[in-house]
Amino acid sequence: GAGVSQSPSNKVTEKGKDVELRCDPISGHTALYWYRQSLGQGLEFLIYFQGNSAPDKSGLPSDRFSAERTGGSVSTLTIQRTQQEDSAVYLCASSWTGTNTDTQYFGPGTRLTVL
Amino acid sequence: AQSVTQPDIHITVSEGASLELRCNYSYGATPYLFWYVQSPGQGLQLLLKYFSGDTLVQGIKGFEAEFKRSQSSFNLRKPSVHWSDAAEYFCAVGPTLNMDSNYQLIWGAGTKLIIKP
């Protein structure tokens, strides 16, 4: 079956512009994660959605970052007024139940470059 | 604080040679333990995981890992690497004590594996 997809695969933007990154999780997965992967760093947790529960936004680095998940499926991560330090690969993952014993299935990521 | 350390940023191994990638964690109890692999241009894929029981865990693609409580380690091994194993490998830890965050994993910085022909 289809895996997790993300779009765009690459995004180059100018400092100060807004960007939207999209994630399509595996159908039926109730949990969805966004991570940021910077060069030489591990995965940095950004936000977690589980069903209809309030998302855990504790990992969002600033109020320029926001995310939503519509209809329990597709998610969009928005970065407003992008800064050069926002340059990274943004990964989305989904899982059946969202517990940390559950396998997370990752998309290929969106590479964001802020000039 | 909880943490995961992968001491080797990159490792170079000849094709056919054995491999061991190190992972150490800091946590107040035995956590859930995972290894994921990220091949170029692809998402991360689960190789194996340990929750309890037998401390030697078998995974996909011929990989295994051994949990050593006394060393707080969960090293990944493969007896003979193939060129297709060139990728980045991430160790991750799932907290078991705080059920309020039972969906989070703590990730190592990754080890990039380079295969020499």
Side-chain angles (χ1 to χ4, degrees), chain A residues 26 28-32 48-52 69 72 94-98:
Chain A
I26 292 173
H29 280 191
T30 62
L32 188 147
Y48 166 78
F49 295 92
Q50 168 56 271
N52 295 321
R69 188 179 185 192
S94 68
S95 69
W96 284 109
T97 65

Side-chain angles (χ1 to χ4, degrees), chain B residues 49-117:
Chain B
K49 57 188 175 184
Y50 172 81
F51 297 157
S52 65
D54 192 345
T55 56
L56 186 62
V57 180
Q58 302 297 320
I60 62 171
K61 305 186 181 189
F63 285 91
E64 65 178 27
E66 185 172 13
F67 167 58
K68 292 187 177 180
R69 185 191 311 273
S70 62
Q71 299 177 18
S72 297
S73 69
F74 189 56
N75 293 350
L76 182 71
R77 302 195 295 245
K78 187 169 184 178
S80 175
V81 297
H82 185 261
W83 65 267
S84 60
D85 294 325
E88 191 152 20
Y89 292 80
F90 292 90
C91 180
V93 163
T96 54
L97 292 179
N98 183 358
M99 298 311 292
D100 288 339
S101 60
N102 69 341
Y103 49 86
Q104 288 213 26
L105 296 181
I106 303 162
W107 296 83
T111 297
K112 186 173 183 179
L113 175 62
I114 301 164
I115 306 295
K116 287 193 302 187

Side-chain angles (χ1 to χ4, degrees), chain B residues 9-27:
Chain B
I9 297 172
H10 50 78
I11 279 184
T12 302
V13 175
S14 296
E15 189 170 16
S18 64
L19 170 70
E20 183 169 29
L21 301 181
R22 295 182 289 165
C23 173
N24 292 92
Y25 65 87
S26 173
Y27 188 64

